[in-house]
Amino acid sequence: MPLLFLEHIENFAMRDITLTRSAFWTTHMVGCNHVVIDGVRILNNLRLANCDGIDPDHCQNVHISNCHIEAADDCIVLKNTLHAMHYGPCENIVITNCTLKSTSAAIKIGTETEDVFRNILVNNCIIYGTNRGISLMLRDKGSIENAQFSNINIQTRMFSKAHWWGAAEPIAITAVKRKEDSSVGQIQNIRFQNISCDGENGILIYGDGSKNISDIDFDGIRMHIRRITDWPKDLHDLRPDSGNTILRDSLRGIYARNARDIRFSRTSIITDEESAALIEEMTCVVDCEGVYGMPE
């Protein structure tokens, strides 16, 4: 059970408290509207799986600000779970001025994606010591649309793949089927602006054969890829998906597959010597339509 479980609450505020040692999701909000979470500290065990920080599930009009979160599993994760579909989409979410550390993803949308996520703004955050920085993980019939991420510093490192999804990507956008017979929606109209990335991997964009990731802008992205740990660097992690897939490949600065209308401007990638030796090509684009401004 979550440490705090809040369902169908209007005009809720939580301010200036510390929550610690949660054994499962720390704050699970289901079907809540007009929520303010400000100045909250969450300090969980970084080796204990599933102890997320804040989980807005089918929530609307949520403002999370000035929080510090350390959690194994995700720090802030937006969800649309199947059992709470009657509460409608997850929308009008603002996350700002937070510091986040996680052995999974610092900021995630998914993987429970049965309804629409829209109108999401993430700004002025610091992410450090984390397995994935920003992760958009569409696995079900919903969609992710109209989201903007800006003015963010991201520092990532590898963790054990036997225990954690992800491979130190500062930004990972994936839209694949959860099961062979399931349907999966669209990720579209997403903006990343003024983001500094320092870590062991590059950006991952991976859709299904319908090219269900589209209209993605990267502006002012600075990546420094360098060795921090001894974990292997030759993989792309798509879990959870129908094949429990970990793809073996060269280390990449940007890897894009099955996507449309992806635009890069003012984007740079530098590496240390050890990482450069692992890279066959800095960028790899497979089965995409309309990829513009890809850095060399």
Side-chain angles (χ1 to χ4, degrees):
M1 289 291 293
L3 184 63
L4 295 177
F5 179 80
L6 308 163
E7 184 169 2
H8 200 199
I9 298 176
E10 297 270 346
N11 302 313
F12 168 75
M14 181 166 60
R15 292 188 171 94
D16 301 325
I17 64 171
T18 298
L19 304 171
T20 188
R21 298 182 182 177
S22 178
F24 192 60
W25 301 351
T26 308
T27 305
H28 186 194
M29 301 178 294
V30 181
C32 296
N33 191 6
H34 295 291
V35 174
V36 172
I37 299 177
D38 182 67
V40 171
R41 292 197 311 159
I42 296 176
L43 305 174
N44 287 339
N45 188 327
L46 289 169
R47 295 185 178 182
L48 183 63
N50 293 320
C51 63
D52 296 355
I54 301 172
D55 295 55
D57 184 356
H58 290 278
C59 291
Q60 295 88 42
N61 306 305
V62 177
H63 197 291
I64 301 169
S65 61
N66 306 311
C67 294
H68 175 77
I69 302 173
E70 299 179 12
D73 229 317
D74 312 306
C75 290
I76 301 173
V77 49
L78 310 185
K79 297 178 179 291
N80 277 323
T81 55
L82 181 61
H83 77 277
M85 289 289 288
H86 54 286
Y87 288 122
C90 194
E91 62 183 352
N92 306 333
I93 312 294
V94 175
I95 301 167
T96 186
N97 296 335
C98 294
T99 53
L100 308 169
K101 182 179 183 180
S102 169
T103 37
S104 193
I107 297 171
K108 188 169 88 175
I109 301 175
T111 65
E112 295 90 339
T113 50
E114 295 287 346
D115 207 331
V116 178
F117 302 84
R118 60 179 167 233
N119 304 335
I120 297 160
L121 177 64
V122 180
N123 186 43
N124 289 347
C125 291
I126 294 174
I127 295 166
Y128 67 101
T130 293
N131 192 34
R132 264 183 177 155
I134 300 166
S135 182
L136 279 56
M137 300 180 72
L138 191 68
R139 297 296 182 271
D140 306 300
K141 63 180 180 292
S143 64
I144 302 171
E145 56 192 47
N146 304 338
Q148 180 172 313
F149 303 84
S150 60
N151 304 318
I152 301 171
N153 287 349
I154 301 174
Q155 191 272 321
T156 60
R157 50 150 293 176
M158 294 278 190
F159 287 88
S160 165
K161 296 298 135 291
H163 301 93
W164 308 105
W165 297 332
E169 306 95 336
I171 299 170
I173 307 169
T174 58
V176 294
K177 292 182 178 181
R178 185 183 297 277
K179 301 177 181 178
E180 288 288 349
D181 60 352
S182 64
S183 60
V184 62
Q186 304 278 328
I187 298 178
Q188 57 191 357
N189 190 21
I190 312 295
R191 305 287 177 263
F192 298 92
Q193 185 175 37
N194 191 27
I195 298 179
S196 178
C197 310
D198 174 26
E200 296 192 279
N201 209 337
I203 293 171
L204 172 65
I205 304 167
Y206 199 107
D208 75 359
S210 68
K211 296 181 174 59
N212 58 342
I213 298 174
S214 65
D215 192 14
I216 314 294
D217 281 352
F218 297 90
D219 177 29
I221 312 300
R222 298 167 301 281
M223 282 190 285
H224 180 197
I225 299 176
R226 62 187 178 91
R227 178 182 179 273
I228 299 172
T229 72
D230 292 331
W231 294 107
K233 310 297 188 289
D234 59 341
L235 56 87
H236 305 297
D237 192 346
L238 302 183
R239 299 172 298 171
D241 70 322
S242 58
N244 204 32
T245 306
I246 297 179
L247 301 174
R248 295 292 173 180
D249 184 42
S250 163
L251 178 63
R252 308 284 185 182
I254 299 169
Y255 183 91
R257 190 182 190 103
N258 294 331
R260 296 182 289 114
D261 299 324
I262 312 298
R263 294 172 290 271
F264 292 87
S265 60
R266 299 187 304 131
T267 296
S268 63
I269 307 171
I270 61 173
T271 65
D272 64 5
E273 290 186 6
E274 188 169 353
S275 297
L278 301 175
I279 296 174
E280 294 178 4
E281 293 178 307
M282 185 63 71
T283 61
C284 180
V285 177
V286 181
D287 294 331
C288 292
E289 297 176 3
V291 179
Y292 307 99
M294 184 75 80
E296 298 295 332

